Amino acid sequence: MAREALVIGASGMLAEVSRWLANEGWQVTIVGRNRQKLEQVRDGAMNPDSVHLLALDYGQTESLRTAMAELVASRGAVELVVAWIHQTAPDALATVLAELSRPNQPFRLYHVCGSSAWKNPPVVHVPKTCTYHRVILGFVCEGEEARWLTNREIADGVIRAIRQEAAQAIIGQVEPWEMRPTY
Ligand SMILES: NC(=O)c1ccc[n+]([C@@H]2O[C@H](COP(=O)([O-])OP(=O)(O)OC[C@H]3O[C@@H](n4cnc5c(N)ncnc54)[C@H](OP(=O)(O)O)[C@@H]3O)[C@@H](O)[C@H]2O)c1
């Protein structure tokens, strides 16, 4: 039976993660608002037939809830979720988790968080069937300077975290915290 994955915020830094999952044999549903950007992710995959588009605004809680319920009804239980969700949508993750837990099957969440999660880890109430993994996006120090991560570094780090099944992974570095870029 096909294994179902869901990538939220899939057409930016997680584009290569979505393609990698498809290449690893997953059926991957990718979420973003702009359908054209999602199509580009799918069309760049080695096996585009394994990539399914779900264009929605995760800030619209009721539409998101309906879409998640329909996803489970049409594709079956989702086993793996990778989520990069802006803080402008504080209810989105809980909404996704509530709907995905309905089939009562175990699933894994890789919650991609900004560097502030190092100092203030987000409180996420996960259903009993969900294993929570946190991936913190850090920064890179180069001599006296520091910079944010590139999309490639982020995608590679998320893929590594999924492979290693790490409870918490840090991409780049979060210390020394004072070096964190301010731009
Ligand atoms: N610590 C670090 O180094 C760090 C941390 C964060 C970001 N960054 C960098 O900054 C860049 C920009 O960051 P970003 O936050 O814009 O991430 P991004 O991953 O480039 O883009 C955000 C993703 O989420 C989707 N999205 C945004 N709002 C949405 C909504 N309301 N509903 C559904 N989908 C939504 C976007 O598609 P749509 O726009 O089509 O909806 C897109 O797929 C990143 O590409 C990364 O390189 C670095």
Side-chain angles (χ1 to χ4, degrees):
M1 217 170 77
R3 302 176 77 195
E4 298 292 333
L6 173 68
V7 182
I8 303 173
S11 52
M13 59 172 89
L14 297 179
E16 288 306 323
V17 176
S18 307
R19 292 175 180 145
W20 173 77
L21 286 169
N23 206 31
E24 290 287 301
W26 293 83
Q27 294 295 312
V28 189
T29 298
I30 59 172
V31 172
R33 288 166 298 187
N34 183 315
R35 176 167 283 274
Q36 271 183 320
K37 280 162 63 180
L38 294 174
E39 284 170 357
Q40 283 171 10
V41 177
R42 179 195 59 198
D43 295 346
M46 283 170 70
N47 40 355
D49 290 350
S50 299
V51 180
H52 313 283
L53 314 188
L54 186 50
L56 56 75
D57 180 349
Y58 54 53
Q60 305 289 319
T61 302
E62 283 317 309
S63 321
L64 176 64
R65 193 188 311 284
T66 304
M68 290 299 108
E70 286 173 359
L71 173 68
V72 171
S74 61
R75 303 210 56 86
V78 172
E79 266 185 69
L80 176 67
V81 183
V82 185
W84 167 243
I85 298 176
H86 290 154
Q87 287 170 1
T88 50
D91 298 331
L93 188 56
T95 303
V96 169
L97 295 178
E99 291 307 319
L100 297 190
S101 67
R102 289 195 192 280
N104 210 21
Q105 302 284 329
F107 67 104
R108 288 177 280 157
L109 167 65
Y110 286 81
H111 185 201
V112 181
C113 303
S115 59
S116 59
W118 177 242
K119 293 291 182 189
N120 297 301
V123 178
V124 181
H125 299 287
V126 291
K128 281 201 295 281
T129 47
C130 176
T131 310
Y132 180 81
H133 303 259
R134 180 177 294 128
V135 182
I136 299 178
L137 305 177
F139 51 87
V140 178
C141 288
E142 290 171 335
E144 300 292 297
E145 304 290 321
R147 63 165 177 82
W148 294 116
L149 302 162
T150 64
N151 278 2
R152 186 70 253 179
E153 288 167 337
I154 292 170
D156 287 348
V158 173
I159 290 168
R160 204 176 316 120
I162 296 171
R163 277 207 167 112
Q164 295 174 346
E165 301 186 19
Q168 177 163 289
I170 294 164
I171 306 178
Q173 60 193 87
V174 286
E175 296 290 354
W177 182 251
E178 319 74 76
M179 285 287 285
R180 185 171 171 264
T182 47
Y183 60 88

